[in-house]
Amino acid sequence: MSKEVLLEQINIKAKEQAESIKRSANDAASAQRAKVEAELKAEYEKRLASVNEEAELAIAGQKTLMRIDGKKSELNAKRELIDEVYKNVTERIKALSDNDYRKFIAAIIAKYAEDGDKVIICQNDVKRLNSNWLSDLAFDLQLSLSFASEYHGDVGGVILRGNKYDKNLTVSAIIGEARIGTESAVAKRLFG
């Protein structure tokens, strides 16, 4: 065998081995690439599922917050309507005729006054509740009553200043006290 044929056979065998090594390396690289791609796809799907779960939780949380905000708004609207009812009662008391207002205040004083009380009125009631009216009321009740020299800051009603304690019978105090006992009934009537 000649040297050239021998070299040719060695060259062919070397090429075959190189092709075999190359194929093995390509197969191993493809298998590794497929494995990495599968791992990446699995990790992507896992993270996507996690993000979707977090998004669903965030959406559910937002829906809950929106529902709570809606309930708060509804409750505030109801509270404002109830406040308006009691404000209207105050306005109706203020709008009473002078005679009806005097009867209203006289009934309050008759119920709570004690002998020697000083009657504190608001500045707005100076013309409605005058000294003749108080003298007549004191006579009817057989009590010693007189006007105090100062005025209270409410919209109406009186404060009875006694020797031991004062009685706040202003319109705001009366309405506030009445509200405690009637607010649930008012709400039930308004909202069912």
Side-chain angles (χ1 to χ4, degrees), residues 108-120:
I108 293 170
I109 291 175
K111 185 171 182 179
Y112 295 102
E114 296 175 9
D115 196 41
D117 280 352
K118 296 223 179 265
V119 179
I120 303 171

Side-chain angles (χ1 to χ4, degrees), residues 57-127:
L57 288 173
I59 290 169
Q62 287 298 321
K63 285 180 180 178
T64 299
L65 287 175
M66 288 171 60
R67 207 171 26 257
I68 289 170
D69 286 344
K71 290 289 185 185
K72 282 182 184 178
S73 294
E74 180 183 354
L75 184 60
N76 285 337
K78 286 180 178 180
R79 172 71 46 211
E80 287 174 10
L81 189 56
I82 291 170
D83 289 345
E84 192 64 31
V85 167
Y86 289 98
K87 183 179 175 188
N88 286 341
V89 171
T90 300
E91 294 303 317
R92 288 180 67 191
I93 290 171
K94 285 171 41 180
L96 288 171
S97 70
D98 288 350
N99 193 44
D100 287 341
Y101 185 74
R102 282 191 285 270
K103 287 178 185 177
F104 173 70
I105 298 300
I108 293 170
I109 291 175
K111 185 171 182 179
Y112 295 102
E114 296 175 9
D115 196 41
D117 280 352
K118 296 223 179 265
V119 179
I120 303 171
I121 63 173
C122 71
Q123 186 74 38
N124 295 337
D125 286 346
V126 169
K127 292 182 182 174

